């Protein structure tokens, strides 16, 4: 929403908190601060930085995955199927990629998933004695 303040607006507090309040509550948008960049956009839209996850580029196998990647053209779905797919989320693990975060659009190509998805949440895990992975939960990009 494009909010207009005809007489201006007086704010007090930390800049980040004031911006967060204005952007999220008054303008119904999303505020992301990553790598010294401020991103303000529609909450339904993601931030597309060109991430591609395939078994070759770091997507780790699951027990139900195979090492064959198929690339298919998207097919037209019915309205009810599209709504059901939009609410469904998936979880996958990839090699550690600290750049992946909520709101990012990532293209995934694996045996069972092929398309663009929006990350809902994620966890970066690693230790000197263990494996270094990123676990992401994502939904179909709108």
């Amino acid at each position: 929403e494009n909010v207009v303040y005809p007489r201006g607006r007086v704010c007090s507090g930390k800049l980040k908190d004031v911006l967060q309040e204005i952007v999220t509550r008054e303008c119904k948008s999303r505020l992301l601060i990553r790598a010294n960049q401020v991103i303000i956009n529609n909450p339904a839209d993601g931030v597309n930085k060109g991430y591609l996850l395939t078994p070759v580029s770091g997507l780790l196998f699951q027990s139900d995955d195979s090492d064959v990647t198929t690339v298919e053209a998207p097919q037209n779905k019915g309205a009810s199927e599209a709504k059901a797919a939009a609410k469904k989320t998936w979880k996958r693990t990839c090699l550690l990629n600290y750049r992946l975060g909520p709101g990012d659009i990532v293209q995934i190509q694996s045996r069972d998933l092929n398309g663009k998805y929006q990350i809902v949440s994620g966890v970066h895990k690693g230790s000197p004695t263990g494996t270094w992975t990123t676990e992401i939960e994502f939904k179909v990009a709108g």
Side-chain angles (χ1 to χ4, degrees), residues 80-139:
S80 62
E81 289 179 18
K83 279 186 179 180
K87 292 181 182 180
K88 184 177 180 183
T89 62
W90 297 269
K91 289 185 179 182
R92 291 293 182 268
T93 304
C94 65
L95 295 178
L96 180 67
N97 190 340
Y98 64 91
R99 292 180 182 96
L100 296 178
D104 285 340
I105 300 291
V106 61
Q107 183 173 355
I108 297 179
Q109 294 176 348
S110 68
R111 182 183 65 79
D112 59 341
L113 295 173
N114 183 26
K116 292 189 178 189
Y117 300 91
Q118 183 175 358
I119 297 176
V120 176
S121 65
V123 177
H124 306 293
K125 295 182 180 180
S127 68
T129 59
T131 58
W132 296 81
T133 60
T134 297
E135 296 175 358
I136 56 173
E137 182 177 357
F138 51 88
K139 65 180 181 177

Side-chain angles (χ1 to χ4, degrees), residues 35-106:
N36 297 325
Q37 285 185 324
V38 176
I39 302 168
I40 299 173
N41 68 351
N42 184 344
D45 297 339
V47 180
N48 193 350
K49 294 187 178 182
Y51 298 126
L52 172 65
L53 286 177
T54 64
V56 173
S57 67
L59 186 64
L60 298 177
F61 295 118
Q62 292 188 337
S63 60
D64 58 344
D65 285 344
S66 72
D67 60 353
V68 178
T69 302
T70 58
V71 178
E72 300 175 5
Q75 298 181 5
N76 294 335
K77 295 182 179 180
S80 62
E81 289 179 18
K83 279 186 179 180
K87 292 181 182 180
K88 184 177 180 183
T89 62
W90 297 269
K91 289 185 179 182
R92 291 293 182 268
T93 304
C94 65
L95 295 178
L96 180 67
N97 190 340
Y98 64 91
R99 292 180 182 96
L100 296 178
D104 285 340
I105 300 291
V106 61

